[in-house]
């Protein structure tokens, strides 16, 4: 136990800079012995930095043969080293999971000996979890660049989500800071994952929006183990006197229908270690969504941990505000139908740190405003600052019943103090006398005290309730609703319980029809 | 209080209904409201304070009446509103019964469109309450911390049972039970609501709710302390010093939950 404690400390420390902890997007029934995954994602705790903890985020090993400049685990760094045994980590995961500390495992790793050596050990650990323990919880595995296609495929069959870090926004920066990581070694496995997902018609989520791909839902029939009858050995019927807990039932080769990375593929890049502009970063993410149908691209503000002439100095503050704005820009890409070129053009290569990119865009395109909320299309509504995907949908629904009054907007969920500059409601403008971009900008800044709010919100958008849901009915309902495309349907869940969402949408389809209830209702 | 809620409806025939606190009892009241005299308010009989102005009547819970209302809500309003009503019923909101009565009456007039009337104060309030319950239910799925207790019985192999204590604002035990029962099929477990003195007791995927005190619980398993330490250590290690933001931590995870969390003990 002591050694496990030591390893846990070293290997959690090495993994903590990884930003992605999202567990959402895959619903998995418990068909094994233990565990299930909830499409809505569940946060189990929040660390002192305010980030949600949902997964045991850990490195398999930090004994690295590579020497990436930005990494605390690089070969030349002077840190304590440790590696888990596959068995040890599997056990730890299960024990944490049983106690409801975590929702699953996020397993990353340094490169010990070689990519394949490490990947194989990771694979063995996941195999133990799935097959020996019958674990049906969430597993996110980082793929090591340069891994062989066979091992990658087998890991993909065990994990829910795969990711390979693109690390830096450009090839040049990668060459400079991570010379042993070749772009080819990153993109080959990425392509393999996208291809496998495409062949298996498993692609879903934001990345699919660019090519009008059909959305196939795979979540409902997911399983690794055939349901088994002999799960438990009942004792004399009383709860506490049961004897024996058959945890390990090994059923080699019987894994039911195998799914390959049902929660899709994501990637991550480091922000602020290299001189790329925000425009470059947003364009890179757009192309990752386009080409690899990524589920998510994560950004991680660079935290200086080592002295290097190639990197910002030790005491440079991590660019958290910038990271936050990039996530907002990413949100515009994924859910609001913006293109990278609209978000940032050549004249404005950097995001305004003080203002939401949606307001910035609106102020640059002020001639498109004000927009009449009772007439605008869903697409137009989505471009109004202060109007989110839920409120836009609600506006469209509700105005079929009766024209929307200005006072209704707040209850619908519109951030009125922001939106009022950009809309008219039943022909009236509520934003003051004129639309003056400079003035609006000033008022928006004053009213929101944005400077004080520049806290890392990256996890804010990841936490379960606020997370896009892609589930079987997400796509189905979107089709029924007609106007809503699948990726918008995803976003509809933002900030609302899954249930109330289904309710709304159900009602939406019937909203036009008059229902008459005469007499007693019963 | 009842004036604002039901005052406008008073016409001399009204009476306060008292019920036993069960959902079925509440539904029976709704039935009575439609088929007998109109209710001026619905109250749990054990919390009711009699008033000279309004007469009161105890409504006995009747299963067939409750079932009819249940079905009527599902069929004439919507399944979603039925769930909504149930969740609001589980809340600790004041006068929840009366708010629900208003909401359901509106629902029987408007059908499923009732949930779209966000600007109606009753709809808005009911939906806000529902949201609170839903948020807590969701939150609790993450914030439950089990400990492995060990039951030793002579002649038998020691048996682990997972136990946890919670103190939720709303009565959400039964709406989180399925989640854990599905998740922990191979472990018997107990989720104990300390405030309401009841618990979900589950094994092999099925569960029931029973009155509960922790008097007879067995002791901690041999490795339990080790796993707690490991988790605590993990929890501390994972925070990035450069990003420390306690305000955010507290916003996401209200302090009132902390005392039952392993990582803070
Ligand atoms: S490969 Fe590079 S980034 Fe990964 S652990 Fe090794 S040094 Fe760090």
């Amino acid at each position: 136990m002591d050694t496990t404690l030591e390893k846990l400390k070293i290997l959690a420390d090495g993994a903590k800079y990884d930003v992605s902890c999202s567990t959402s997007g895959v619903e998995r029934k418990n068909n094994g012995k233990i565990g299930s995954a909830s499409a809505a994602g569940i946060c189990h705790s929040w660390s002192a930095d305010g980030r949600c903890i949902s997964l045991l985020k850990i490195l398999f090993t930090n004994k690295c043969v590579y020497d990436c400049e930005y990494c605390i685990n690089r070969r030349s760094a002077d840190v304590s080293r440790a590696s888990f045994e596959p068995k040890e980590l599997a056990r730890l995961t299960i024990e944490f999971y049983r106690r409801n500390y975590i929702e699953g495992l996020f397993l990353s790793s340094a490169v010990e000996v070689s990519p394949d050596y490490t990947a194989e050990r990771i694979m063995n650990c996941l195999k133990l979890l799935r097959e020996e323990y019958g674990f049906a919880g969430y597993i996110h595995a980082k793929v090591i660049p340069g891994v062989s296609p066979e091992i990658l495929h087998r890991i993909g069959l065990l994990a829910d989500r795969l990711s390979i870090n693109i690390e830096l926004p450009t090839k040049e920066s990668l060459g400079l800071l991570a010379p042993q990581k070749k772009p080819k070694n990153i993109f080959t496995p990425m392509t393999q994952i996208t291809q496998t997902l495409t062949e298996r018609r498993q692609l879903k989520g934001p990345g699919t929006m660019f090519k009008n791909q059909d959305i196939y839902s795979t979540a409902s029939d997911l399983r690794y183990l055939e349901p088994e009858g002999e799960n438990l050995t009942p004792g004399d019927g009383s709860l506490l006197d049961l004897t024996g807990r058959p945890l390990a039932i090994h059923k080699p080769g019987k894994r039911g229908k195998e799914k390959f990375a049902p929660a899709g593929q994501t990637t991550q890049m480091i922000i602020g270690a290299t001189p790329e502009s925000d425009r470059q970063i947003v364009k890179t993410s757009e192309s990752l969504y386009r080409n690899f149908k990524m589920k998510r691209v994560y950004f991680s503000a660079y935290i200086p941990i080592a002295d290097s002439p190639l990197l910002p100095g030790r005491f440079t503050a991590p660019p958290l505000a910038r990271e936050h704005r990039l996530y907002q820009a990413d949100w515009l890409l994924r859910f609001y139908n913006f293109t990278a070129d609209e978000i940032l053009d050549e004249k404005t290569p950097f995001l305004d740190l003080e203002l939401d990119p949606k307001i910035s865009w609106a102020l640059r395109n002020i001639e498109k405003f004000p927009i009449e909320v009772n007439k605008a299309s869903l697409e137009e509504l989505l471009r109004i600052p202060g109007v989110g995907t839920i409120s836009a949908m609600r506006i469209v629904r509700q105005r079929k019943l009766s024209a929307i009054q200005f006072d209704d907007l707040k209850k619908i969920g519109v951030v009125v103090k922001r939106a009022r500059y950009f809309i008219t409601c039943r022909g009236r403008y509520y934003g003051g006398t004129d639309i003056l971009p400079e003035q609006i900008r000033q008022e928006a800044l004053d009213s929101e005290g944005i400077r004080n709010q520049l806290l890392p919100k990256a996890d804010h958008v990841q936490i379960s309730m606020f997370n896009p849901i892609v589930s079987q009915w997400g796509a189905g309902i979107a089709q029924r609703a007609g106007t809503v495309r699948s990726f918008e349907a995803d976003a509809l869940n933002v900030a609302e319980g899954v249930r109330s969402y289904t309710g709304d949408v159900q009602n939406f389809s019937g909203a036009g029809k008059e229902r008459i209830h005469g007499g007693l209702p019963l | 209080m009842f004036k604002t809620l039901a005052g406008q409806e008073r016409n001399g025939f009204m009476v306060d209904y008292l019920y036993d606190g069960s959902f079925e009892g509440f539904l029976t009241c709704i039935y009575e409201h439609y088929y007998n005299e109109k209710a001026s308010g619905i109250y749990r009989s054990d919390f009711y304070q009699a008033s000279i102005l309004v007469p009161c009547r105890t409504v006995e819970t009747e299963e067939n009446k409750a079932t009819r209302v249940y079905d009527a809500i599902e069929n004439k309003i919507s399944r979603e509103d039925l769930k909504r009503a149930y969740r609001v019923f589980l809340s600790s909101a004041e006068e929840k019964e009366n708010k629900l009565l208003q909401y359901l009456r509106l629902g029987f007039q408007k059908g499923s469109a009732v949930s779209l009337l966000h600007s109606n104060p009753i709809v808005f309030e009911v939906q806000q309450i529902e949201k609170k319950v839903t948020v807590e239910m969701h939150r609790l799925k993450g914030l439950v911390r089990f400990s492995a207790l060990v039951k030793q019985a002579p002649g038998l192999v020691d048996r682990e049972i997972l136990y946890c204590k919670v103190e939720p604002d709303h009565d959400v035990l039964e709406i989180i039970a399925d989640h854990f029962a599905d998740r922990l099929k191979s472990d018997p477990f107990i989720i104990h609501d300390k405030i309401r003195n009841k618990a979900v007791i589950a094994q092999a995927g099925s569960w029931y709710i029973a009155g509960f005190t922790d008097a007879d619980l067995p002791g901690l398993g041999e490795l339990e302390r080790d796993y707690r330490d490991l988790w605590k250590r993990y929890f501390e290690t994972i925070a990035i010093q450069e990003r420390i933001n306690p305000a955010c931590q507290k916003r996401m995870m209200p302090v009132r939950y902390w005392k039952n969390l392993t990582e803070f003990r």
Side-chain angles (χ1 to χ4, degrees):
Chain A
M1 206 40 90
D2 283 353
T3 58
T4 308
L5 189 69
E6 209 36 50
K7 287 183 187 177
L8 181 82
K9 210 179 128 217
I10 296 171
L11 295 168
D13 200 51
K16 68 183 172 191
Y17 300 98
D18 249 310
V19 283
S20 141
C21 72
S22 159
T23 59
S24 68
V26 58
E27 183 86 34
R28 178 193 296 254
K29 281 262 160 270
N30 182 349
N31 286 328
K33 300 276 165 295
I34 178 168
S36 60
S38 157
I42 294 175
C43 298
H44 286 250
S45 195
W46 279 266
S47 59
D49 54 18
R51 300 188 313 159
C52 130
I53 301 178
S54 59
L55 303 172
L56 171 59
K57 190 188 288 186
I58 201 146
L59 296 177
F60 193 81
T61 172
N62 72 339
K63 296 178 185 162
C64 200
V65 294
Y66 287 3
D67 215 17
C68 306
E69 204 72 30
Y70 49 80
C71 177
I72 39 165
N73 297 317
R74 68 189 190 285
R75 188 183 51 207
S76 56
D78 177 24
V79 294
S80 330
R81 306 280 172 175
S83 304
F84 277 117
E85 288 307 312
K87 236 188 184 154
E88 187 180 21
L89 185 56
R91 176 78 205 237
L92 185 67
T93 307
I94 286 293
E95 293 297 345
F96 274 15
Y97 190 90
R98 289 176 71 212
R99 287 167 176 78
N100 206 40
Y101 298 163
I102 53 166
E103 188 68 10
L105 176 65
F106 178 112
L107 187 52
S108 183
S109 184
V111 187
E112 186 176 8
V113 184
S114 73
D116 272 359
Y117 172 86
T118 314
E120 220 176 311
R121 286 166 62 86
I122 288 175
M123 184 187 77
N124 288 336
C125 173
L126 303 190
K127 255 181 121 135
L128 279 174
L129 272 171
R130 294 294 195 207
E131 292 170 12
E132 298 280 324
Y133 287 104
F135 178 66
Y138 186 88
I139 298 178
H140 178 160
K142 276 264 145 99
V143 174
I144 301 192
V147 65
S148 66
E150 297 73 34
I151 300 181
L152 172 59
H153 188 77
R154 280 152 76 190
I155 291 179
L157 293 174
L158 295 162
D160 290 288
R161 172 171 285 179
L162 296 175
S163 60
I164 304 160
N165 286 357
I166 179 139
E167 305 288 17
L168 296 157
T170 57
K171 192 167 85 197
E172 291 69 31
S173 294
L174 188 77
L176 198 64
L177 296 183
Q180 288 105 331
K181 282 188 185 161
K182 304 291 175 223
K184 186 173 152 279
N185 290 345
I186 292 174
F187 289 117
T188 309
M190 245 182 215
T191 313
Q192 186 192 337
I193 296 169
T194 309
Q195 271 171 1
T196 313
L197 289 171
T198 312
E199 278 160 23
R200 295 174 165 235
R201 299 175 154 193
Q202 258 181 248
L203 275 175
K204 53 185 181 175
T208 56
M209 71 193 177
F210 291 103
K211 279 188 183 162
N212 296 324
Q213 294 265 353
D214 284 346
I215 308 281
Y216 293 93
S217 168
T218 52
S220 55
D221 56 348
L222 229 159
R223 60 168 167 243
Y224 286 91
L225 285 165
E226 293 292 339
E228 285 157 355
E230 69 280 330
N231 281 12
L232 282 154
T233 322
D236 61 2
S238 81
L239 192 61
L240 293 172
D241 289 337
L242 284 179
T243 50
R245 181 163 47 92
L247 245 185
I249 296 180
H250 189 38
K251 280 268 163 75
K254 260 203 136 192
R255 245 180 303 150
K257 235 199 241 159
E258 290 176 318
K259 294 286 175 199
F260 185 88
Q265 170 170 216
T266 64
T267 190
Q268 174 181 337
M269 65 178 114
I270 301 162
I271 301 311
T274 45
E276 284 88 2
S277 68
D278 291 341
R279 180 172 148 84
Q280 178 69 56
I281 293 165
V282 173
K283 291 205 80 140
T284 300
S285 4
E286 186 183 50
S287 86
L288 285 164
Y289 286 125
R290 248 176 228 282
N291 298 327
F292 296 102
K293 312 282 180 288
M294 288 288 165
K295 194 83 193 270
R296 245 349 257 274
V297 176
Y298 291 95
F299 308 108
S300 148
Y302 176 68
I303 297 169
I305 33 170
D307 290 315
S308 160
L310 301 172
L311 287 166
R314 264 271 201 188
F315 299 101
T316 319
L320 297 179
R322 189 177 174 202
E323 180 194 278
H324 171 52
R325 294 297 174 212
L326 280 165
Y327 274 116
Q328 289 180 320
D330 178 70
W331 205 249
L332 295 183
L333 273 186
R334 290 188 298 141
F335 298 117
Y336 292 77
N337 225 356
F338 281 79
T339 62
D341 285 325
E342 282 178 303
I343 297 168
L344 290 165
D345 52 28
E346 269 156 29
K347 279 187 295 182
T348 31
F350 284 93
L351 293 166
D352 187 333
L353 287 187
E354 295 184 322
L355 274 188
D356 185 309
K358 203 175 176 190
I359 300 191
S360 302
W361 173 85
L363 295 178
R364 282 202 312 274
N365 292 274
I366 202 72
E367 71 287 350
K368 296 191 164 71
F369 297 95
I371 288 174
E372 169 57 46
V373 287
N374 281 297
K375 297 224 175 73
S377 67
L378 184 65
E379 283 74 18
E380 286 172 312
L381 290 172
L382 284 171
R383 297 200 160 212
I384 302 171
V387 175
T389 43
I390 292 180
S391 43
M393 278 292 291
R394 283 186 175 165
I395 288 171
V396 171
R397 274 188 327 241
Q398 205 159 332
R399 70 189 182 190
K400 286 188 185 159
L401 303 174
S402 64
I404 291 178
Q405 316 277 339
F406 185 71
D407 289 342
D408 296 340
L409 290 172
K410 196 171 171 200
K411 290 183 185 129
I412 286 173
V414 173
V415 184
V416 176
K417 66 179 174 190
R418 193 178 304 165
R420 66 192 172 111
Y421 303 107
F422 303 97
I423 55 168
T424 56
C425 195
R426 301 172 81 223
R428 245 195 95 183
Y429 183 66
Y430 293 82
T433 42
D434 269 313
I435 304 192
L436 300 168
E438 255 323 297
Q439 194 183 325
I440 297 175
R441 184 187 152 82
Q442 203 43 54
E443 288 187 29
L445 284 175
D446 292 348
S447 72
E448 296 178 31
I450 285 178
R451 273 169 216 273
N452 302 330
Q453 291 178 13
L454 293 182
L455 303 168
K457 293 227 174 96
D459 290 305
H460 202 91
V461 291
Q462 284 174 38
I463 74 155
S464 54
M465 304 275 309
F466 300 90
N467 216 335
I469 306 296
V470 188
S471 68
Q472 53 275 48
W473 40 260
I477 286 165
Q479 278 161 13
R480 267 200 288 149
T483 49
V484 202
R485 254 163 291 154
S486 54
F487 63 94
E488 287 160 348
D490 290 352
L492 286 175
N493 272 291
V494 179
E496 236 186 19
V498 177
R499 293 285 159 74
S500 54
Y501 164 58
T502 24
D504 276 5
V505 179
Q506 265 165 15
N507 294 328
F508 173 55
S509 29
K513 289 176 242 145
E514 250 333 289
R515 293 185 64 175
I516 299 150
H517 299 271
L520 282 175
L522 302 177
Chain B
M1 193 52 100
F2 82 88
K3 245 187 251 146
T4 48
L5 283 165
Q8 67 270 36
E9 298 287 334
R10 293 187 59 187
N11 55 18
F13 290 102
M14 308 255 289
V15 49
D16 277 351
Y17 284 178
L18 309 185
Y19 77 113
D20 60 5
S22 69
F23 190 54
E24 290 73 15
F26 169 72
L27 293 178
T28 311
C29 291
I30 302 279
Y31 182 96
E32 293 295 312
H33 174 84
Y34 274 101
Y35 285 107
N36 283 313
E37 59 207 324
K38 299 283 171 247
S40 45
I42 303 176
Y43 300 89
R44 275 180 69 150
S45 48
D46 44 353
F47 296 147
Y48 186 66
Q49 291 195 324
S51 136
I52 13 170
L53 296 174
V54 193
C56 67
R57 160 158 101 81
T58 300
V59 173
E60 293 301 332
T61 302
E62 286 181 54
E63 200 188 315
N64 63 332
K65 289 181 182 172
T67 312
R68 281 185 66 187
V69 178
Y70 186 96
D71 293 342
I73 298 173
E74 180 165 5
N75 299 327
K76 307 225 161 157
I77 309 179
S78 74
R79 198 173 159 65
E80 221 18 72
D81 284 295
L82 178 62
K83 284 189 198 158
R84 177 169 298 131
Y86 185 54
R87 268 179 244 138
V88 171
F89 183 80
L90 293 178
S91 77
S92 353
E94 262 180 53
E95 300 257 332
K96 61 186 182 194
E97 294 92 347
N98 297 327
K99 286 166 191 162
L100 276 176
L101 173 65
Q102 303 272 325
Y103 184 85
L104 292 174
R105 288 178 56 204
L106 197 62
F108 284 129
Q109 284 166 22
K110 308 271 180 190
S112 65
V114 66
S115 63
L116 297 179
L117 305 173
H118 305 294
S119 43
N120 177 307
I122 275 296
V123 175
F124 183 71
E125 208 185 341
V126 162
Q127 291 182 348
Q128 291 303 105
I129 299 172
E130 182 198 16
K131 207 168 179 177
K132 280 190 199 146
V133 176
T134 312
V135 165
E136 178 159 68
M137 161 186 129
H138 186 83
R139 219 177 228 157
L140 229 53
K141 286 182 183 172
L143 295 181
V144 154
R145 295 285 176 271
F146 288 107
S147 303
L149 308 183
V150 169
K151 175 80 176 175
Q152 288 163 319
L156 290 172
V157 180
D158 290 355
R159 178 69 177 150
E160 269 193 0
I161 179 163
L162 297 174
Y163 167 82
C164 81
K165 189 168 75 184
V166 292
E167 291 167 81
D169 295 341
H170 307 287
D171 191 5
V172 292
L173 269 197
E174 49 206 285
I175 43 179
I176 61 170
D178 272 339
H179 168 81
F180 287 105
D182 176 55
R183 196 158 265 216
L184 297 169
K185 279 197 197 103
S186 53
D187 277 308
F189 68 87
I190 295 170
I191 304 175
H192 175 193
D193 181 340
K194 192 109 198 282
I195 294 177
R196 295 166 191 83
N197 287 322
K198 60 190 216 174
V200 172
I201 297 172
Q203 182 187 1
S206 40
W207 55 270
Y208 61 91
I209 300 237
F212 194 86
T213 54
D214 49 14
D216 293 323
L217 283 174
L220 294 185
E222 188 196 339
L223 292 176
E224 180 56 29
R225 293 211 184 278
D226 289 341
Y227 282 112
R228 284 186 189 175
D229 284 350
L230 283 170
W231 172 242
K232 264 184 156 143
R233 184 54 67 88
Y234 176 76
F235 181 76
E236 286 153 18
T237 310
I238 205 71
I240 297 176
Q241 291 312 310
E242 291 83 348
R243 286 180 178 240
I244 290 295
N245 185 348
C248 184
Q249 181 185 30
K250 286 178 188 149
R251 191 165 59 242
M252 305 312 290
M253 182 168 56
V255 179
R256 65 178 185 278
Y257 294 105
W258 288 20
K259 64 171 180 266
N260 290 320
L261 293 175
T262 313
E263 52 270 36
F264 293 108
R265 273 196 300 225

